[in-house]
Amino acid sequence: MEMTAVKNTVNRLLISVSMVAGMSAIAASPAHAVDFTFNNSNEINTYTGGSNGVFIGKDTTAATNALTDGDASSNVELWYSSETPTANVGFTATEGNYSATVSSVTAGDWKEFGSQWLDDLLNAYQPFQSVWNAFSSNTKSMITSFLPSLGMGDPNIGGFQFGENGGVQLQLVGHLDLKTKLLDQINTLLKLPSVLLPQAQRTDLTNLKNALNAYQGQIAASEIAKVVTGGKTYYAYSFSGVASGITASDDGKSYNAIFNWSTPDYVAKAPPKSVPEPSVMLGLLGIAGVFVTQRQLKKAQA
């Protein structure tokens, strides 16, 4: 009976060790990592984050780190050379069977989504809806045609991740208050000669300028990225942001707000389940083995 008991104990220990080895193999097998491929490294610029961050141009390793480091203030600008992209520059991210392309926004893209962006802006900031409604159709068309000049299509991406089912979430860097940009654009239009800007349109623009100057709140708006994933095209933007607590080191005002955007099917990944360290488990098994040996010795001496 004693030999049988020892044999059973050894078998149980062997099974336990096998289980620990299995857990060790699972722990050593990481989940799919996201792989990033940039289609034009000459047009990307990475900010390393924080109020004392630095800019690193044309460096895909730095860009990848900024997209995955969990710090939204570190970010990657897509289309670095100007604020009016002429091509869709960005990256393709892959994780297992999932793939998504994120890029800058061109004037051609604005023709596809500009009206929707403007409608969403007015819905987010209702005081301007009545001003817009009073505009002539010519004024509305003119303002819409100038949307690419706002300089919102060269997005700074602070973070990227896939969800449980391949949905996509982005962290977009943007403006805590867009009023200055909007007023600059209106002032530019008001400088046009009367042959290009009839009096009726000039009056409409002046009314909008006055409304912006009178508005006491902030007009938060993210920059805009084009996202292609799952066979669909999205334009990523948001008017609901939070202060980042920093400004970029080069101009003292950029990067002051962070915005989250995700595809409709995005589901956040569950946190990874904790797995006991194999070394701890083996240590416990070693202690158990000592107790078993001592017990067998005591029986032999009895």
Side-chain angles (χ1 to χ4, degrees):
M1 292 293 294
E2 289 184 0
M3 289 299 294
T4 301
V6 171
K7 194 172 184 180
N8 289 339
T9 300
V10 170
N11 285 338
R12 286 196 294 270
L13 286 172
L14 289 174
I15 292 171
S16 298
V17 170
S18 176
M19 290 173 64
V20 171
M23 285 190 292
S24 176
I26 293 172
S29 301
H32 289 295
V34 181
D35 180 68
F36 294 91
T37 302
F38 294 82
N39 68 355
N40 185 348
S41 60
N42 289 328
E43 282 288 356
I44 65 168
N45 195 36
T46 301
Y47 184 71
T48 58
S51 57
N52 297 316
V54 296
F55 291 91
I56 304 174
K58 307 176 183 180
D59 189 322
T60 57
T61 299
T64 298
N65 289 339
L67 290 169
T68 57
D69 63 3
D71 177 8
S73 70
S74 61
N75 59 80
V76 181
E77 182 176 11
L78 307 179
W79 190 268
Y80 169 58
S81 58
S82 72
E83 291 191 338
T84 53
T86 59
N88 296 119
V89 165
F91 60 84
T92 296
T94 55
E95 182 183 52
N97 294 326
Y98 304 137
S99 177
T101 297
V102 181
S103 65
S104 53
V105 172
T106 66
D109 294 322
W110 272 104
K111 291 180 180 179
E112 292 185 14
F113 81 98
S115 295
Q116 183 61 56
W117 181 88
L118 194 52
D119 286 345
D120 291 341
L121 174 68
L122 294 172
N123 286 330
Y125 301 100
Q126 285 291 324
F128 301 102
Q129 185 71 63
S130 59
V131 179
W132 176 262
N133 290 342
F135 288 170
S136 68
S137 58
N138 287 337
T139 300
K140 290 179 179 179
S141 296
M142 178 188 63
I143 291 176
T144 302
S145 68
F146 273 87
L147 289 178
S149 301
L150 282 174
M152 307 285 283
D154 55 334
N156 290 74
I157 312 298
F160 174 95
Q161 60 185 354
F162 286 107
E164 288 283 4
N165 53 2
V168 167
Q169 183 183 66
L170 298 180
Q171 285 180 306
L172 298 163
V173 178
H175 310 275
L176 202 57
D177 194 353
L178 192 64
K179 276 189 295 187
T180 299
K181 270 186 172 288
L182 293 172
L183 286 168
D184 287 346
Q185 188 64 45
I186 292 171
N187 287 329
T188 298
L189 292 173
L190 287 172
K191 291 177 182 178
L192 292 173
S194 56
V195 66
L196 296 176
L197 186 67
Q199 184 58 46
Q201 290 183 350
R202 192 176 300 275
T203 299
D204 285 343
L205 290 174
T206 300
N207 289 338
L208 178 57
K209 178 180 178 179
N210 292 338
L212 284 167
N213 283 323
Y215 186 65
Q216 297 299 310
Q218 294 177 322
I219 302 176
S222 73
E223 293 179 328
I224 306 160
K226 185 176 184 178
V227 180
V228 180
T229 184
K232 297 180 180 179
T233 298
Y234 303 90
Y235 290 95
Y237 58 85
S238 172
F239 300 106
S240 179
V242 296
S244 66
I246 69 161
T247 54
S249 60
D250 62 342
D251 64 6
K253 59 182 180 180
S254 300
Y255 308 162
N256 61 1
I258 303 296
F259 303 78
N260 284 331
W261 175 90
S262 58
T263 54
D265 60 344
Y266 176 78
V267 176
K269 292 180 179 177
K273 295 180 180 179
S274 60
V275 178
E277 288 289 336
S279 58
V280 174
M281 292 297 294
L282 287 172
L284 292 174
L285 289 173
I287 293 172
V290 169
F291 283 129
V292 170
T293 301
Q294 288 178 343
R295 184 179 177 188
Q296 296 305 323
L297 285 172
K298 286 180 181 178
K299 285 186 177 182
Q301 291 171 356

